[in-house]
Amino acid sequence: SRSAMDHQPKFFENLSGAGKAIAVLTSGGDAQGMNAAVRAVVRMGIYVNAKVYFIYEGYQGMVDGADNIVEVSWESVSSILQVGGTVIGSARCKAFRTREGRLQAAFNLVQRGITNLCVIGGDGSLTGANLFREEWSGLLEELARNGKIDAEAVKKYAYLNIVGMVGSIDNDFCGTDMTIGTDSALHRIIEVVDAIMTTAQSHQRTFVLEVMGRHCGYLALVSALACGADWVFIPEYPPEEGWEDTMCAKLSANRARKKRLNIIIVAEGAIDCHNQPITSEKVKDLVVQQLGFDTRVTILGHVQRGGTPSAFDRILASRMGVEAVLALLEATPDTPACVVSLSGNQAVRLPLMECVQMTQEVQKAMDEGRFLEAVRLRGRSFENNLNTYKLLSHKRPDAELPKTNFNVAVLNVGAPAAGMNAAVRAAVRVGMTEGHKIFAVIDGFEGFAKGKIKEISWGDVGGWTGQGGSILGTKRTLPAKYLEKIADQMRTNNINALMVIGGFEAYLGLLELSAAREKYDEFCVPMVMVPATVSNNVPGSDFSIGADTALNTITDTCDRIKQSASGTKRRVFIIETMGGYCGYLANMGALAAGADAAYIFEEQFDIRELQANVEHLTEKMKTSIQRGLVLRNENCNENYTTDFIYQLYSEEGKGVFDCRKNVLGHMQQGGAPSPFDRNFGTKISAKAMQWISKKLKETYRKGKVFANTDDSVCLLGMRRRNLVFQPVAELKSETDFVHRIPKEQWWLKLRPLMKILAKYKTSYDVSDSGQLEHVAMLPKEAETGAI
């Protein structure tokens, strides 16, 4: 789709910021990850030889000027990556809303030669920035008339360039899949829900949780999806007339099915279909009056804005910060102010005002009671979340369910990964809704061969989303040596389709089963794999379930380890991560933790490289930042082991720094799944089950299912912006089977990012960036990888 002239690769290091001045400010409500964005903008700006300025206290600081606008250095942004909120402050500013205020702000910027602004904030802040840009030349002319600046300055600083990044925990900005801070806010909500669940279970209580979101229900919706809440109230999708009775009936039905707790999530802006507010107190009183259940209200409030940013937000903000500097370097007087954002897994630029207009359209639709339209305008990701929630939360009465007489087996294969249980839950519930009988296989292919298989029902998987590990049990065993026995079990239990949730072994297992189709008719059924492994090494998917949780574990641990050196001066830590031969965890962990280097198998390194890293750290110790962090993937090199690197650094660093080493080990496979993994697992698994239903219909002939084409054994993966089903046979050519990794990995493109942010000179291909896209009203069918 790209034109021929785009084929010349474009490199970051060829773009110069010399003679340019960039100022960065944070405005509006704070959000976790803003600091990571500030850090990336500062370091990228300095890297391309631009001058970079902080503007303290948002627009207020721009109006007040003086020491609120300061030039910064590389070290100014050290150690802020792991801090929540914004270190440069944010304020609500009345003055900037007046022309006088903006006049003063323009004067302050021109005095310092600043004509490039990077604004990190919500839609209000970005709209303000755009207005400022439109007025800029008029403001300069007025300053010249008042004798504040000379005519020369009016010419020299004629244009103001603006790039926005959306920092808002509500995720209420159209055109961006995820805004900075949303994922961290979900982390806070989920931590609270997990904690409340244990106490609610002890007392058979009902909890009403109020989460933030005055005009947007994203946080409420996704946290309801991630914890399997019984009911959710959001502004975009008010409940139907008579919801009070429906909700109470559902709650008591759940109690009757021995469910000991009920969780109801209310967005602070929730309304009914007459646009009247639905408050958490109102919901509580209703439950108490109608059902007499012991009910408590918890209002999360500002907890959601606090705490350290999640790994996802740090990586998102770092990628956006780099993209923002890139956009500023390439801006011309004719390019509109843009926002940088993420679509699926790809950085994009969108015209700022298009996004703002679309965001305002949503509010307008809600005010006018056009709720279906509001949901659609929110975008694909929001709509998907809503549909999946509706599918999974309400069990339809048996009489209403279709009966297909198909049996589908679900199993976990490989090492445990957080989020597997959420995937199993979604598969079971969607499968039942589609009319199938679902069978759970215990302990992977080995358990299958031994006949460890039983029917599983709706209630059996209640509360599974928040559980780590694999409840069904999982083994690395491949099916090849048990083909005969597995075929027997498939026949005995009349299994018509297989859903395998697991890592590289699951992929190999499906290849073996499809190869065995010639010999065994039992394997001529639809089979689908959902990737779940902390290593994220499965071909055909950018992400796998469990990798985000592991990444958060690594990031949290690195934060703690870095803190341990705060008293001791000059220390370097060497940390070994998991991943087999796949460097995803080491590389992304390094990006999220602000490491100095990450050794991975995919990028060969030799003794000269190690030497250069040691020298780099020696230089760093001369600055005010006196500690270093180095990550090493467990299999990056058979001779340069973690011990070897530790000893080398210790020897070479003598008298300059001392060394410590940590092997993180199996803690990376454990823990409660992160919101991303719960949500990704739930949505991808639901989609896989719907594919199974479609294939079963297509392959049912003369009273039996018979499927033996390549496209009936697929892997469902996320690729760039979409979720796609790919025949495993076609993925063979993309796989390095010796090292169990895909031949091409998208995240290697982000590797230079980590190096640049750690002050290494490197080459960075940015050919993907730069096309300004438009906010599209997406067609109904468009499926997205957006979480």
Side-chain angles (χ1 to χ4, degrees):
S1 63
R2 304 245 306 272
S3 60
M5 58 171 284
D6 282 340
H7 282 314
Q8 270 68 45
K10 182 170 71 175
F11 291 100
F12 192 74
E13 58 275 20
N14 299 343
L15 295 164
S16 168
K20 292 191 175 180
I22 299 173
V24 56
L25 75 147
T26 52
S27 168
D30 68 323
Q32 308 93 322
M34 279 183 166
N35 289 325
V38 168
R39 169 179 178 265
V41 170
V42 169
R43 294 198 164 171
M44 274 302 179
I46 292 173
Y47 189 86
V48 294
N49 295 319
K51 281 184 164 186
V52 186
Y53 291 83
F54 274 169
I55 299 177
Y56 286 102
E57 314 307 334
Y59 288 119
Q60 191 63 53
M62 203 194 291
V63 176
D64 295 346
D67 53 6
N68 284 300
I69 308 178
V70 231
E71 189 177 348
V72 288
S73 69
W74 191 271
E75 277 112 68
S76 309
V77 289
S78 167
S79 306
I80 67 170
L81 186 63
Q82 60 269 33
V83 181
T86 160
V87 293
I88 56 178
S90 175
R92 305 260 177 232
C93 175
K94 287 209 176 79
F96 195 76
R97 295 194 175 158
T98 65
R99 187 167 164 100
E100 290 72 57
R102 293 193 289 275
L103 195 64
Q104 186 56 44
F107 175 66
N108 292 332
L109 294 185
V110 168
Q111 273 194 311
R112 295 166 177 80
I114 299 170
T115 55
N116 293 284
L117 269 191
C118 178
V119 183
I120 308 166
D123 56 347
S125 316
L126 299 180
T127 314
N130 193 59
L131 174 65
F132 189 42
R133 178 177 191 255
E134 285 168 0
E135 288 182 350
W136 182 259
S137 51
L139 293 170
L140 293 199
E141 280 158 20
E142 190 174 329
L143 288 170
R145 282 200 304 278
N146 301 347
K148 287 274 185 79
I149 59 173
D150 55 22
E152 186 57 36
V154 178
K155 271 217 292 284
K156 189 172 174 190
Y157 304 123
Y159 300 104
L160 178 68
N161 294 318
I162 285 184
V163 172
M165 278 185 266
V166 192
S168 146
I169 64 166
D170 293 340
N171 203 18
D172 56 358
F173 197 76
C174 291
T176 67
D177 278 347
M178 285 295 264
T179 58
I180 296 168
T182 306
D183 187 65
S184 302
L186 288 170
H187 272 260
R188 295 301 90 79
I189 296 171
I190 293 302
E191 282 156 17
V192 171
V193 174
D194 285 353
I196 278 177
M197 276 185 156
T198 52
T199 162
Q201 280 206 299
S202 317
H203 295 281
Q204 296 209 24
R205 279 197 175 132
T206 296
F207 266 89
V208 179
L209 268 127
E210 183 182 303
V211 300
M212 281 186 169
R214 260 181 318 214
H215 307 295
C216 177
Y218 185 89
L219 289 177
L221 178 56
V222 174
S223 46
L225 196 55
C227 70
D230 297 84
W231 201 275
V232 65
F233 293 99
I234 57 173
E236 293 86 345
Y237 189 77
E240 289 162 18
E241 205 69 82
W243 59 269
E244 294 88 347
D245 297 336
T246 322
M247 180 181 84
C248 290
K250 165 141 200 262
L251 295 179
S252 48
N254 275 351
R255 277 294 160 92
R257 284 210 300 272
K258 300 278 189 289
K259 186 175 177 190
R260 293 181 60 91
L261 79 161
N262 303 109
I263 295 224
I264 299 166
I265 293 182
V266 185
E268 59 180 326
I271 45 174
D272 63 19
C273 50
H274 306 296
N275 257 324
Q276 292 307 303
I278 296 177
T279 62
S280 39
E281 278 303 322
K282 183 174 168 182
V283 174
K284 174 196 157 172
D285 295 342
L286 184 75
V287 176
V288 172
Q289 279 156 16
Q290 288 212 11
L291 300 172
F293 287 174
D294 184 358
T295 308
R296 298 282 190 272
V297 172
T298 299
I299 296 174
L300 292 194
H302 281 74
V303 165
Q304 296 162 83
R305 286 195 190 280
T308 176
S310 64
F312 182 95
D313 271 333
R314 296 182 197 193
I315 292 164
L316 170 71
S318 300
R319 287 175 73 178
M320 296 302 95
V322 171
E323 191 65 28
V325 172
L326 205 54
L328 284 171
L329 293 181
E330 296 184 319
T332 67
D334 309 321
T335 47
C338 72
V339 286
V340 291
S341 92
L342 207 57
S343 170
N345 187 24
Q346 191 169 4
V348 291
R349 290 181 204 172
L350 301 160
L352 188 145
M353 284 324 284
E354 279 185 27
C355 298
V356 170
Q357 271 147 7
M358 184 102 128
T359 306
Q360 287 164 351
E361 285 293 311
V362 182
Q363 192 52 48
K364 209 169 131 209
M366 291 196 292
D367 293 342
E368 294 169 9
R370 292 178 288 121
F371 294 108
L372 284 171
E373 182 70 2
V375 169
R376 221 184 84 216
L377 287 165
R378 275 269 181 250
R380 299 185 291 183
S381 154
F382 191 88
E383 210 170 356
N384 273 350
N385 282 319
L386 185 58
N387 293 336
T388 311
Y389 176 76
K390 287 194 290 199
L391 208 59
L392 296 174
S393 61
H394 301 259
K395 181 178 192 295
R396 305 221 312 264
D398 291 339
E400 283 180 31
L401 290 174
K403 278 278 173 282
T404 59
N405 295 322
F406 290 132
N407 296 343
V408 181
V410 178
L411 65 160
N412 290 163
V413 175
M420 277 182 162
N421 302 321
V424 173
R425 168 183 176 266
V428 170
R429 292 194 168 178
V430 173
M432 287 182 70
T433 308
E434 307 257 320
H436 315 315
K437 272 190 175 171
I438 309 294
F439 288 79
V441 177
I442 313 298
D443 295 340
F445 288 119
E446 193 173 312
F448 208 163
K450 293 180 181 159
K452 292 186 180 175
I453 177 169
K454 57 171 200 276
E455 194 180 339
I456 186 166
S457 68
W458 187 278
D460 295 338
V461 291
W464 278 28
T465 44
Q467 307 283 325
S470 160
I471 298 173
L472 291 184
T474 178
K475 282 257 193 328
R476 290 176 180 268
T477 323
L478 291 171
K481 55 180 185 187
Y482 299 114
L483 290 173
E484 185 82 38
K485 288 180 171 168
I486 294 175
D488 280 350
Q489 289 299 329
M490 299 262 299
R491 195 171 50 250
T492 314
N493 295 288
N494 190 21
I495 301 297
N496 310 110
L498 271 190
M499 176 153 162
V500 185
I501 300 162
F504 204 83
E505 286 87 357
Y507 166 63
L508 295 175
L510 282 194
L511 286 171
E512 291 180 359
L513 291 179
S514 65
R517 279 174 161 181
E518 293 169 34
K519 198 170 166 197
Y520 301 97
D521 274 3
E522 288 84 354
F523 300 136
C524 295
V525 296
M527 305 189 217
V528 67
M529 167 180 170
V530 170
T533 162
V534 297
S535 307
N536 196 20
N537 63 332
V538 177
S541 190
D542 287 0
F543 294 118
S544 58
I545 299 166
D548 183 70
T549 305
L551 208 47
N552 276 297
T553 304
I554 292 169
T555 310
D556 291 347
T557 311
C558 288
D559 287 351
R560 290 183 180 194
I561 287 173
K562 273 161 76 169
Q563 238 172 3
S564 73
S566 47
T568 342
K569 283 285 174 264
R570 301 209 292 247
R571 176 163 286 177
V572 174
F573 294 96
I574 289 149
I575 295 172
E576 180 187 305
T577 68
M578 279 188 165
Y581 284 95
C582 175
Y584 179 81
L585 290 178
N587 188 68
M588 300 308 254
L591 192 55
D596 295 281
Y599 298 116
I600 59 172
F601 169 76
E602 290 88 348
E603 194 175 281
Q604 291 295 296
F605 57 96
D606 57 18
I607 196 73
R608 284 180 292 276
E609 199 102 5
L610 292 166
Q611 176 71 29
N613 292 149
V614 171
E615 284 164 12
H616 188 87
L617 283 165
T618 309
E619 278 309 298
K620 184 180 175 183
M621 296 298 165
K622 293 176 186 165
T623 69
S624 57
I625 316 170
Q626 305 197 322
R627 51 159 198 259
L629 188 64
V630 175
L631 272 64
R632 177 189 174 275
N633 158 278
E634 56 185 354
N635 288 348
C636 63
N637 187 302
E638 59 176 332
N639 294 314
Y640 298 143
T641 59
T642 302
D643 283 331
F644 175 90
I645 292 176
Y646 162 68
Q647 287 165 341
L648 178 84
Y649 273 61
S650 299
E651 179 60 36
E652 295 294 317
K654 264 187 190 157
V656 185
F657 55 80
D658 60 357
C659 260
R660 295 286 183 276
K661 68 172 195 282
N662 282 70
V663 176
L664 298 185
H666 280 77
M667 64 189 281
Q668 295 164 85
Q669 281 181 7
S674 67
F676 182 95
D677 280 331
R678 296 180 191 202
N679 203 346
F680 184 53
T682 299
K683 285 193 342 197
I684 195 170
S685 170
K687 198 172 160 58
M689 188 53 82
Q690 288 165 333
W691 176 88
I692 284 182
S693 299
K694 187 173 111 252
K695 284 289 175 210
L696 284 169
K697 282 194 196 83
E698 288 170 13
T699 56
Y700 186 67
R701 296 278 174 280
K702 299 187 184 144
K704 65 173 289 202
V705 172
F706 188 80
N708 65 348
T709 51
D710 280 352
D711 67 355
S712 60
V713 188
C714 278
L715 179 149
L716 172 57
M718 175 165 156
R719 287 217 141 154
R720 286 179 95 123
R721 302 188 191 190
N722 299 302
L723 287 171
V724 277
F725 288 95
Q726 306 143 95
V728 288
E730 287 173 19
L731 291 172
K732 274 159 90 167
S733 60
E734 299 178 23
T735 313
D736 167 353
F737 285 99
V738 178
H739 300 104
R740 302 159 54 98
I741 52 175
K743 289 178 184 169
E744 301 242 321
Q745 305 192 75
W746 67 273
W747 53 266
L748 281 168
K749 277 210 174 103
L750 297 185
R751 196 157 160 74
L753 210 66
M754 181 208 88
K755 293 185 183 173
I756 290 171
L757 293 172
K759 217 174 184 174
Y760 282 93
K761 283 277 173 263
T762 179
S763 179
Y764 183 27
D765 181 347
V766 290
S767 312
D768 272 2
S769 338
Q771 278 70 34
L772 193 67
E773 302 186 11
H774 291 283
V775 184
M777 251 329 305
L778 298 147
K780 273 309 245 193
E781 311 75 69
E783 180 49 87
T784 175
I787 307 305

